[in-house]
Amino acid sequence: MPTVSSTTSTISSSASISTPKVRCFDPATSSPATFHHRRRSMNHSKCSSDSPGANGGAMAAIADQKIVNGEAGYVLEDVPHLTDYLPDLPTYPDPLQDNPSYSVVKQYFVNMDDTVAQKIVVQKNSPRGTHFRRAGPRQKVYFELDEVHACIVTCGGLCPGLNTVIREIVCGLHHMYGVNRVLGIEGGYRGFYARNTITLTPKVVNDIHKRGGTILGTSRGGHITSKIVDSIEDRGINQVYIIGGDGTQKGASVIFEEIRRRGLKVAVVGIPKTIDNDIPVIDKSFGFDTAVEEAQRAINAAHVESESIENGIGVVKLMGRDSGFIAMHATLASRDVDCCLIPESPFYLEGPGGLFEYIERRLKENGHMVIVIAEGAGQELLSESMRTMEQADASGNKLLQDVGLWISQKIKDHFARMQKMAINLKYIDPTYMIRAIPSNASDNVYCTLLAHSAIHGAMAGYTGFTVGPVNGRHAYIPFYRIIERQNKVVITDRMWARLLSSTNQPSFLDPKEVARKKTEETQEPKASHDRLEAATAVLIV
Ligand SMILES: Nc1ncnc2c1ncn2[C@@H]1O[C@H](COP(=O)(O)OP(=O)(O)OP(=O)(O)O)[C@@H](O)[C@H]1O
Ligand SMILES: O=P(O)(O)OC[C@H]1O[C@](O)(CO)[C@@H](O)[C@@H]1O
Ligand SMILES: [Mg+2]
């Protein structure tokens, strides 16, 4: 463990915001440590709160950062703890030490000083860099067993594995900590104040992991912070498990801020969910592998259809609003795809180096081809040609035009106009089919680890964090790190190069553009491919 010798933290955004240096109890080391609570202004693209409309207008929330500096450039970006604002909370021995299943584990409790490195590829003299607190059970817990009243809510779009996470939170709380009071909030955030609740017991959730969707229902929009926290307070809930994507984690962050402002003993835990894999820092999100696997069925169908007919073209549209991970991984897995188009890599249709030229060449060489397109790809081309009004969903997410239909029509029109070759195009749109299914075996295991890590964190009194694997080890990540940006495919990384060399498609980039992207991306803190590659390692809580 590095020495907790703090150096002065900087004020990241506004000089008018104070940086209180707090002498506080460090629950991890059981000894007093000096933390620097760095306050910073978060620019939420969409807004929380009590404002009208989707989520109201733009708002800057303030998040505290608990930064611990150690030797050799070691930095711990720690998560909040209930004792930060309720210093006199009593502790209790973790009941796991008496649990017959767990007591056999040699070193069951994680070392209090364990942290997980964000960067694992290092050189001899590199600084040790950013670390996150390691997830897992602690020897002391901050809740008595019959005191815990937990709730679970699922928000945003569907994703394989939602029911597994719900099941494992309920069963984990029950089996590991003897907790019997768990409420399911129906219909997403608005369910806290506008819908019913379901009592969740191990019996109720026993089989739900075999079903797609979420037994709790979900929604977009409707995040009214004060009403949600009123409901938490009125119901006497003291552990809130929030499962959802980037928008949901922003919502969880403001709920945590409000709970802390009110001084409530309530742990707020985010569990990242998104098949788009657009959440940063974590290796990958649950359900992603399942979605990629299911996408293979559509790609196979497109391949069979296209190769059975002269100049056959199969077009498959996959999900991925701002990030093309599903399309990229489905393409790499399949090897039948000739072209993959994603939001991060702009493309063009006409002229030398364009898509039409490539299609023509591929059909001449091979007689058929398969194109995979992410739903968010080429949106700028669509809005140019369609000039429609921009619309948003209830959460404020931009509603996309159907790029699959559009590109299919464009390809057909092009070849009809050229009169050089008759093509046969089949368009397959499996978008909702890949996310409405139950999670596969490996995602099920992953969901279990996420749920267990979340429970251990809440029981240990940590709050205001999202749980997830970082380089294969589960960690507690402060909300501000999760919501500050989206995870995107880095097109100057090796993974995208692998894809280009597997499909042989043009990069659609001129050399100047490549150089610009490289400069842009060297400033990014962490390359995405590192994380997805690390994610293939065994996930250990
Ligand atoms: N900035 C924000 N502040 C507070 N709540 C938010 C914010 N952004 C989104 N939310 C709320 O979070 C919930 C889910 O958001 P959203 O619909 O964007 O889905 P998501 O969690 O990003 O999941 P996905 O995009 O993967 O489907 C909604 O109820 C929305 O009101
Ligand atoms: O139609 P819905 O439920 O709003 O969800 C669509 C969006 O949800 C996601 O699956 C996850 O964000 C996106 O890929 C997709 O654009
Ligand atoms: Mg989202």
Side-chain angles (χ1 to χ4, degrees):
M1 168 70 181
T3 13
V4 192
S5 66
S6 309
T7 53
T8 315
S9 300
T10 52
I11 302 169
S12 60
S13 45
S14 157
S16 63
I17 297 171
S18 63
T19 51
K21 190 174 167 190
V22 188
R23 185 105 185 131
C24 64
F25 175 73
D26 176 4
T29 56
S30 306
S31 62
T34 309
F35 282 100
H36 287 267
H37 282 236
R38 186 160 71 183
R39 308 212 88 195
R40 70 185 215 156
S41 153
M42 298 293 313
N43 280 321
H44 290 218
S45 56
K46 294 170 272 162
C47 173
S48 62
S49 75
D50 307 339
S51 43
N55 291 305
M59 188 196 84
I62 303 292
D64 262 338
Q65 294 182 18
K66 272 169 80 175
I67 309 286
V68 181
N69 295 298
E71 277 164 12
Y74 172 96
V75 178
L76 166 62
E77 292 203 22
D78 206 357
V79 293
H81 193 271
L82 292 171
T83 52
D84 293 349
Y85 60 94
L86 299 169
D88 301 321
L89 287 182
T91 59
Y92 312 92
D94 192 314
L96 274 173
Q97 57 205 24
D98 305 318
N99 182 312
S101 310
Y102 291 95
S103 54
V104 294
V105 182
K106 209 166 157 198
Q107 198 192 342
Y108 191 69
F109 296 108
V110 299
N111 186 317
M112 291 304 193
D113 298 334
D114 282 358
T115 58
V116 177
Q118 186 176 18
K119 198 167 176 220
I120 52 169
V121 179
V122 290
Q123 293 85 41
K124 199 168 59 176
N125 297 322
S126 11
R128 293 178 65 199
T130 300
H131 293 68
F132 300 108
R133 188 165 287 287
R134 184 182 173 192
R138 266 62 183 169
Q139 266 163 350
K140 286 184 308 185
V141 294
Y142 281 78
F143 290 92
E144 270 188 300
L145 308 187
D146 52 4
E147 176 195 355
V148 177
H149 190 194
C151 77
I152 308 174
V153 64
T154 51
C155 312
L158 292 184
C159 177
L162 280 164
N163 280 334
T164 315
V165 177
I166 296 169
R167 183 189 189 279
E168 295 308 312
I169 294 174
V170 176
C171 295
L173 277 169
H174 182 86
H175 299 315
M176 295 191 296
Y177 290 100
V179 172
N180 290 316
R181 289 192 301 161
V182 187
L183 267 192
I185 307 294
E186 281 191 331
Y189 277 133
R190 68 179 84 240
F192 273 104
Y193 55 88
R195 295 283 299 272
N196 291 331
T197 54
I198 311 174
T199 303
L200 297 173
T201 61
K203 199 167 169 209
V204 169
V205 299
N206 186 42
D207 275 344
I208 63 170
H209 60 297
K210 294 174 187 160
R211 287 183 242 159
T214 155
I215 57 155
L216 300 177
T218 185
S219 65
R220 298 192 190 273
H223 186 286
I224 302 178
T225 316
S226 61
K227 282 195 183 187
I228 294 170
V229 180
D230 286 349
S231 160
I232 291 169
E233 210 176 341
D234 292 348
R235 293 173 198 274
I237 290 166
N238 48 24
Q239 292 187 1
V240 186
Y241 295 93
I242 301 175
I243 313 169
D246 56 337
T248 305
Q249 303 302 315
K250 287 174 192 163
S253 169
V254 283
I255 289 173
F256 159 69
E257 293 294 340
E258 178 60 14
I259 281 174
R260 181 166 60 175
R261 196 187 63 77
R262 295 189 194 184
L264 305 176
K265 186 189 174 187
V266 178
V268 181
V269 183
I271 297 160
K273 169 244 51 134
T274 154
I275 55 162
D276 290 359
N277 198 40
D278 56 6
I279 294 188
V281 186
I282 63 167
D283 295 338
K284 70 175 164 185
S285 43
F286 72 82
F288 175 74
D289 279 353
T290 307
V292 169
E293 208 169 288
E294 187 64 10
Q296 300 304 298
R297 286 161 27 98
I299 296 174
N300 282 344
H303 186 236
V304 169
E305 287 286 345
S306 64
E307 72 172 353
S308 309
I309 197 157
E310 200 182 345
N311 293 329
I313 302 176
V315 175
V316 179
K317 184 180 77 170
L318 294 175
M319 277 192 172
R321 215 195 310 249
D322 302 302
S323 307
F325 288 103
I326 298 176
M328 177 170 80
H329 280 254
T331 296
L332 277 164
S334 149
R335 292 172 179 85
D336 285 333
V337 180
D338 301 278
C339 187
C340 172
L341 302 168
I342 59 169
E344 294 89 338
S345 177
F347 63 93
Y348 55 96
L349 303 176
E350 318 262 356
L355 182 66
F356 293 152
E357 185 192 74
Y358 175 60
I359 296 177
E360 229 177 288
R361 195 172 75 233
R362 207 73 194 109
L363 290 180
K364 276 185 195 146
E365 285 164 4
N366 229 15
H368 69 277
M369 79 177 292
V370 175
I371 300 172
V372 164
I373 186 158
E375 62 179 337
Q379 288 294 315
E380 65 293 343
L381 300 178
L382 263 94
S383 22
E384 242 172 55
S385 74
M386 288 168 139
R387 298 197 188 287
T388 44
M389 288 268 290
E390 265 199 14
Q391 287 181 320
D393 68 16
S395 293
N397 299 303
K398 193 178 149 198
L399 283 179
L400 303 176
Q401 320 245 22
D402 190 334
V403 72
L405 267 184
W406 175 83
I407 205 157
S408 300
Q409 198 52 53
K410 283 280 175 191
I411 296 169
K412 284 181 193 166
D413 291 349
H414 171 80
F415 283 95
R417 216 172 39 241
M418 300 303 288
Q419 293 185 339
K420 273 205 246 162
M421 83 180 32
I423 59 147
N424 246 296
L425 187 144
K426 305 279 190 277
Y427 171 43
I428 301 178
D429 179 352
T431 43
Y432 289 98
M433 294 176 70
I434 68 166
R435 72 172 204 188
I437 52 171
S439 44
N440 68 12
S442 71
D443 270 325
N444 268 338
V445 176
Y446 178 18
C447 291
T448 306
L449 297 192
L450 279 172
H452 284 194
S453 300
I455 295 169
H456 295 316
M459 291 302 298
Y462 294 110
T463 180
F465 69 88
T466 301
V467 65
V470 177
N471 297 313
R473 293 281 173 169
H474 278 237
Y476 301 140
I477 305 150
F479 279 141
Y480 67 84
R481 284 303 303 273
I482 293 291
I483 62 183
E484 66 188 353
R485 66 184 178 91
Q486 271 185 318
N487 187 31
K488 303 239 187 205
V489 172
V490 178
I491 61 167
T492 48
D493 259 4
R494 278 195 201 92
M495 207 54 154
W496 187 244
R498 281 182 195 118
L499 180 136
L500 294 180
S501 80
S502 119
T503 58
N504 283 314
Q505 70 190 67
S507 74
F508 302 107
L509 286 172
D510 70 29
K512 272 193 219 143
E513 182 67 2
V514 176
R516 191 187 62 78
K517 287 256 170 209
K518 271 192 176 164
T519 334
E520 230 175 67
E521 279 147 13
T522 44
Q523 285 150 16
E524 282 279 305
K526 192 166 186 344
S528 304
H529 83 270
D530 271 3
R531 284 186 274 124
L532 271 163
E533 281 181 354
T536 54
V538 182
L539 302 171
I540 307 161
V541 180

